[in-house]
């Protein structure tokens, strides 16, 4: 009910029957038209016309209305938006997570030793059909690795609804994946960089690595700071792009070298996108080398 009408009812209870003129003298709005009809229809007042004057009288239901405790409006609970289903079985989810954690091509024998089950049959067929896993069947045992789409999936897996048949184990895994994602966002590190294998070191021409390091040192301000790959490539006009990409991937296994994607993709210029290097299923745009 409007506050002005409550003031009318309060005045009628305090002073008895009142005319519109008397209501105005009390600092209360006069009661006519729709407002008057509303109170009369609800049985809270009666209105009697004496000559040309309307006299309003509070009824017992009107007194009861004023004496009733004021109910505070209950906050409206916003519905929690439903998460889209993962669309994968528990074993298929475990498969992509194992391939993410290993960040390399696994033979079925290696996969089974790690996961506790081989990646074959329907599980393998579904993952390959959805473009999440690439399976090499040219030799036995077959080997598997995540595709770019697979890396993209594992980064957002925790944002989907886990399959009910996975029960608490899959729900716990999703919780872990969510926390890993938050931690990597704070570190400005991609999943591919975090899980990369570093045991094997590939030999590369020292002049390419040296050229990259020299370009970085000339650009880094302060030393050890982040430098865009576009600026680094601008200082390597005579070096083959594929050789630079290969060198950057190998340098990641060396202490103090980091190559990461930019979190805010909208801030990238076309030259930044063009200069990106593909690592772990993501385009990386910045590099840093800790000063020794």
């Amino acid at each position: 009910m409007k506050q002005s009408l409550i003031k009318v009812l309060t005045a009628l209870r305090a002073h008895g029957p009142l005319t519109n003129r008397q209501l105005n003298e009390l600092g209360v709005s006069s009661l006519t038209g729709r407002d008057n009809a509303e109170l009369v229809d609800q049985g809270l007042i009666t209105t009697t016309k004496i000559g040309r004057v309307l006299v309003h009288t509070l009824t017992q239901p009107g007194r009861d209305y004023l004496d009733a405790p004021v109910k505070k409006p209950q906050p409206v609970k916003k519905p929690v938006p439903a998460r889209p289903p993962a669309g994968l079985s528990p074993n298929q989810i475990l498969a992509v997570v194992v391939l993410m954690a290993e960040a390399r091509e696994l033979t079925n024998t290696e996969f089974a030793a790690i996961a506790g089950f081989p990646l074959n049959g329907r599980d393998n067929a579904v993952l390959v059909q959805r473009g999440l896993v690439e399976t090499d069947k040219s030799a036995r045992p077959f080997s598997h690795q995540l595709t770019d789409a697979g890396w993209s999936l594992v980064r957002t897996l925790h944002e989907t609804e886990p399959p009910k048949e996975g029960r608490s184990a899959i729900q716990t895994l999703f919780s872990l994946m969510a926390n890993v994602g938050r931690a990597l966002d704070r570190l400005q590190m991609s999943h591919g960089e975090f899980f990369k294998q570093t045991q094997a070191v590939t030999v590369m021409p020292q002049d390419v690595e040296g050229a990259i390091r020299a370009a970085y040192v000339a650009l880094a301000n302060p030393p050890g700071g982040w430098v865009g790959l576009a600026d680094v490539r601008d200082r390597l006009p005579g070096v083959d792009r594929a050789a630079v990409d290969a060198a950057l991937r190998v340098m990641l296994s060396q202490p103090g070298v980091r190559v990461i994607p930019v979190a805010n993709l909208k801030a990238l210029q076309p030259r930044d996108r063009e200069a990106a290097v593909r690592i772990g299923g993501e385009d990386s745009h910045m590099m840093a080398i800790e000063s020794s």
Side-chain angles (χ1 to χ4, degrees):
M1 181 182 294
K2 293 189 297 186
Q3 192 64 31
S4 60
L5 297 185
I6 294 177
K7 289 182 178 180
V8 169
L9 297 179
T10 302
L12 293 177
R13 180 170 65 177
H15 302 282
L18 296 171
T19 65
N20 281 336
R21 180 178 179 180
Q22 291 171 323
L23 286 171
N24 288 332
E25 290 173 350
L26 292 171
V28 180
S29 301
S30 58
L31 196 57
T32 58
R34 183 176 298 177
D35 290 342
N36 183 68
E38 179 181 340
L39 296 181
V40 171
D41 291 344
Q42 293 183 39
L44 304 181
I45 67 169
T46 59
T47 297
T48 305
K49 190 173 184 179
I50 300 177
R52 295 184 178 182
V53 179
L54 297 178
V55 180
H56 311 291
T57 304
L58 187 68
T59 64
Q60 187 58 47
R63 295 177 183 276
D64 294 340
Y65 179 86
L66 290 175
D67 293 335
V70 178
K71 293 183 178 180
K72 295 182 179 180
Q74 297 296 320
V76 178
K77 294 183 179 180
K78 295 182 179 180
V80 178
R83 292 184 293 179
L88 298 174
S89 70
N91 270 12
Q92 292 160 11
I93 289 172
L94 292 175
V96 295
V97 171
V98 166
L99 291 173
M100 172 199 71
E102 287 298 306
R104 61 188 175 94
E105 188 173 11
L106 292 177
T107 66
N108 227 5
T109 303
E110 292 174 314
F111 183 93
I114 297 169
F117 63 91
L119 182 53
N120 51 25
R122 175 171 173 74
D123 288 336
N124 181 231
V126 169
L127 294 176
V128 171
Q129 184 178 14
R130 289 188 55 177
L132 304 175
V133 170
E134 182 180 278
T135 298
D136 183 359
K137 297 185 177 182
S138 62
R140 288 185 177 274
F142 298 161
S143 58
H144 317 283
Q145 62 181 332
L146 282 182
T147 63
D148 288 348
W151 280 104
S152 178
L153 171 73
V154 293
R155 288 195 297 269
T156 59
L157 188 60
H158 61 278
E159 298 174 2
T160 64
E161 187 68 27
K164 293 181 179 179
E165 60 269 27
R167 301 185 181 179
S168 60
I170 294 296
Q171 291 180 359
T172 301
L173 177 63
F174 274 45
S175 177
L176 174 63
M177 294 290 287
N179 281 281
V180 168
R182 283 193 290 269
L184 294 183
D185 286 343
R186 288 195 297 271
L187 294 171
Q188 293 187 319
M189 183 180 292
S190 70
H191 285 65
E193 182 185 2
F194 179 75
F195 288 107
K196 70 179 182 292
Q197 297 288 327
T198 59
Q199 292 87 346
V201 177
T202 304
V203 177
M204 64 177 180
Q206 290 300 313
D207 56 343
V208 177
E209 177 183 355
I212 293 173
R213 288 181 176 273
Y216 171 81
V217 169
L219 292 166
N221 186 19
W226 292 106
V227 172
L229 290 183
D231 294 331
V232 173
R233 291 188 191 275
D234 284 348
R235 287 180 170 263
L236 306 172
V239 184
D240 180 68
R241 181 190 176 101
V244 173
D245 289 354
L248 287 170
R249 295 188 182 101
V250 173
M251 288 172 67
L252 278 174
S253 65
Q254 300 175 6
V257 178
R258 297 182 64 189
V259 182
I260 67 168
V262 170
N264 183 10
L265 297 179
K266 293 181 179 180
L268 290 175
Q269 299 298 318
R271 64 188 293 269
D272 297 314
R273 297 178 185 276
E274 175 63 26
V277 59
R278 196 74 173 173
I279 298 174
E282 289 184 296
D283 285 339
S284 295
H285 315 88
M286 306 284 290
M287 73 174 297
I289 303 176
E290 294 180 4
S291 55
S292 56

